[in-house]
Amino acid sequence: MKILEAQSAILTNFEVYQHLKSQNEKHAALKKSTEKRLRKENDAKRKRTGKSGQMTSSETFDLRNAIKDVTRRPGNLETVVREILEFLEEAPSPLASKPLPYDENTIRKLMERLRSYDLTKAELLMLMNIRPTNLEGLNVIIQELDLRFPEEATQFELVSAVVEILGTPDVEANKQAMTDAKEAKQAEEAQASTEMEVVEE
Amino acid sequence: MFILTKIADLVQIDPNDFVKDASQAIEDNINAKYSNKVVQKIGLCICLYDLLSASEGLIGHGNGIVNVNVEFRLVVFRPFKHEVMQGRISSATPAGIRIRTGFFDEIHVPANMLPEGTYFDHVEQIFIWENDGSLLHFDNHEVVRFRIESEHWFDQAPVGPGDANDDSERTSPYKITATMDDPGLGPCLWWDDAAEEENEEMED
């Protein structure tokens, strides 16, 4: 192994998401076509050897294994791809909104729209990934926001540009997802506290 | 968060894999070797992005393995310094908070990088931020925003029996230190909710 270039490009979450999705689709297509091809070959072979009727269980087993040999992906890949897709589709992430708010032109549009503000590449990348819709969010992403854009109106302009191109999060869905995990815990706590009260009385 | 890394490597295709297309066999081979693994000073490798070039397949003496020299690009998880990311709190100890994303759980926020006025609640085992008299909780499983501060690499190369230090614990090969000490960082609920209320007020 030889590293030729440690960092040849930076990807947005959206690009990674697209890449993984297309890989999955490609793999599904390969699985389908392979299955079709091998079934056909198997049928032809059975005809040649004069077998007919139902396949025996061992024949079915062999065919299934032959399909697996061609289409099985490495297990470590399956794991990490599944986990990343889950992470990217989790609610506060813009990629969780349905339909997908981004398309191939989104990056270009965002760059063009925000060119006059002189943001760095890293800041644009984070805008894409996080999609801030308020000043606090913007303040986190853009360093020294108050120095660079002293007027609050400019800051609001930035936010509205982001909203205009990247869309707004579905507030209800976000809240739902963020509270889902908490609810279980809170219910537990509520029960614990009522028990406490009983004891106090 | 994600970068592309260009790598040159020798791929060895086993005769078992001759039923596959050559490109598919190479891809599976690369993925099997790199996916979900940390390469020192590079990051956590995710999967093959594209194949740049491949040599002729060469077969050596003694076995049927096809050797191919390839150049390719990998998708790698390697957040840059000061990048803002989202994740979930997985646990907290007096030393700090541990955050996970779906695929990576070695992100640590030390106690001194939490907002001022934060203390550890030993009963609930969480951090609480006291701000203007109101108590804000860093609950477990909460979605949080944080900023990457530094990264730490631990080489996992095996050590000889003589050099082995018993006190050296097994650590993860790649750890990230992050901060939540800035307005806008910390649980997303705090900030998104506040903004919503503001909007409502404006509408009123």
Side-chain angles (χ1 to χ4, degrees):
Chain A
M1 180 184 76
K2 192 173 145 205
I3 310 289
L4 298 177
E5 226 178 306
Q7 197 176 98
S8 67
I10 300 183
L11 297 180
T12 60
N13 286 359
F14 171 63
E15 286 163 299
V16 173
Y17 181 75
Q18 259 191 330
H19 176 68
L20 295 182
K21 279 276 179 197
S22 74
Q23 290 278 304
N24 276 353
E25 273 164 29
K26 221 175 78 190
H27 181 245
L30 174 77
K31 223 169 168 174
K32 219 170 162 185
S33 68
T34 314
E35 187 170 349
K36 209 170 154 192
R37 180 170 58 86
L38 288 178
R39 271 195 195 285
K40 221 168 163 185
E41 278 173 19
N42 190 50
D43 285 349
K45 195 173 136 203
R46 280 165 59 89
K47 219 173 199 175
R48 249 195 341 267
T49 49
K51 284 182 194 156
S52 59
Q54 283 273 316
M55 285 209 285
T56 65
S57 61
S58 84
E59 273 175 309
T60 324
F61 184 74
D62 286 346
L63 178 63
R64 219 176 277 158
N65 272 351
I67 295 169
K68 262 193 195 157
D69 279 345
V70 183
T71 59
R72 185 163 35 205
R73 295 201 292 184
N76 48 350
L77 175 74
E78 296 276 3
T79 312
V80 78
V81 167
R82 194 190 62 240
E83 285 172 348
I84 289 188
L85 287 179
E86 272 171 18
F87 167 71
L88 292 178
E89 284 172 350
E90 203 171 43
S93 155
L95 299 172
S97 325
K98 295 276 173 287
L100 212 59
Y102 297 175
D103 61 37
E104 298 83 40
N105 300 322
T106 310
I107 300 177
R108 176 189 299 271
K109 268 198 254 167
L110 187 74
M111 302 267 284
E112 275 168 9
R113 181 77 166 71
L114 298 179
R115 184 161 294 156
S116 54
Y117 295 98
D118 210 17
L119 300 176
T120 64
K121 237 179 170 179
E123 285 163 349
L124 286 169
L125 179 97
M126 288 191 277
L127 284 181
M128 277 286 283
N129 285 351
I130 300 209
R131 191 171 66 176
T133 49
N134 53 36
L135 287 188
E136 285 88 1
L138 200 66
N139 175 51
V140 171
I141 289 173
I142 298 177
Q143 300 206 334
E144 290 165 350
L145 180 72
D146 290 333
L147 282 178
R148 286 164 65 190
F149 307 105
E151 307 218 349
E152 208 164 67
T154 332
Q155 299 179 9
F156 274 114
E157 255 172 60
L158 266 171
V159 173
S160 60
V162 170
V163 170
E164 178 193 318
I165 294 167
L166 305 181
T168 44
D170 184 350
V171 178
E172 283 310 306
N174 273 5
K175 264 189 159 172
Q176 189 60 37
M178 281 193 271
T179 42
D180 266 355
K182 274 180 76 184
E183 257 167 24
K185 198 166 162 277
Q186 275 165 355
E188 218 172 82
E189 273 165 20
Q191 201 180 347
S193 64
T194 46
E195 274 167 23
M196 292 259 283
E197 276 162 27
V198 171
V199 174
E200 272 165 25
E201 278 168 16
Chain B
M1 231 164 96
F2 298 101
I3 60 166
L4 288 182
T5 299
K6 205 192 271 181
I7 298 178
D9 202 356
L10 176 75
V11 167
Q12 300 195 302
I13 302 171
D14 212 63
N16 286 341
D17 287 341
F18 290 171
V19 287
K20 298 176 184 172
D21 277 350
S23 65
Q24 188 65 42
I26 291 173
E27 186 182 333
D28 284 352
N29 238 296
I30 292 170
N31 280 334
K33 178 168 175 182
Y34 291 97
S35 275
N36 216 357
K37 286 173 190 168
V38 171
V39 177
Q40 287 294 305
K41 307 275 156 118
I42 295 298
L44 174 72
C45 301
I46 309 297
C47 70
L48 180 75
Y49 187 74
D50 55 2
L51 203 60
L52 299 174
S53 69
S55 72
E56 294 275 309
L58 305 167
I59 302 179
H61 283 290
N63 59 26
I65 292 177
V66 174
N67 298 282
V68 190
N69 283 303
V70 290
E71 272 182 43
F72 56 90
R73 291 194 290 178
L74 277 180
V75 180
V76 175
F77 171 71
R78 172 103 187 257
F80 52 83
K81 197 175 174 187
H82 296 315
E83 175 163 8
V84 178
M85 277 177 57
Q86 283 170 349
R88 276 179 192 275
I89 294 180
S90 60
S91 63
T93 61
I97 291 178
R98 205 171 144 161
I99 299 172
R100 70 186 143 81
T101 64
F103 52 96
F104 188 79
D105 52 8
E106 289 293 340
I107 302 169
H108 300 265
V109 181
N112 61 358
M113 287 191 179
L114 292 168
E116 222 176 300
T118 308
Y119 61 89
F120 187 70
D121 183 342
H122 285 272
V123 180
E124 296 207 45
Q125 294 284 310
I126 56 170
F127 276 93
I128 296 175
W129 180 29
E130 198 173 341
N131 182 32
D132 294 339
S134 58
L135 295 179
L136 295 162
H137 297 242
F138 287 91
D139 284 327
N140 284 345
H141 302 299
E142 184 114 54
V143 181
V144 288
R145 243 175 244 140
F146 50 92
R147 182 185 288 133
I148 310 295
E149 280 297 319
S150 59
E151 49 185 24
H152 310 277
W153 303 94
F154 301 95
D155 203 338
Q156 305 284 52
V159 282
D163 319 327
N165 273 335
D166 285 342
D167 55 330
S168 70
E169 271 177 58
R170 279 190 72 86
T171 50
S172 134
Y174 180 29
K175 279 186 181 172
I176 293 176
T177 306
T179 175
M180 291 205 276
D181 184 10
D182 220 349
L185 297 177
C188 299
L189 272 178
W190 300 352
W191 307 105
D192 296 352
D193 260 17
E196 214 180 295
E197 278 159 24
E198 250 169 54
N199 284 346
E200 274 166 21
E201 274 169 29
M202 273 159 68
E203 276 164 25
D204 292 341

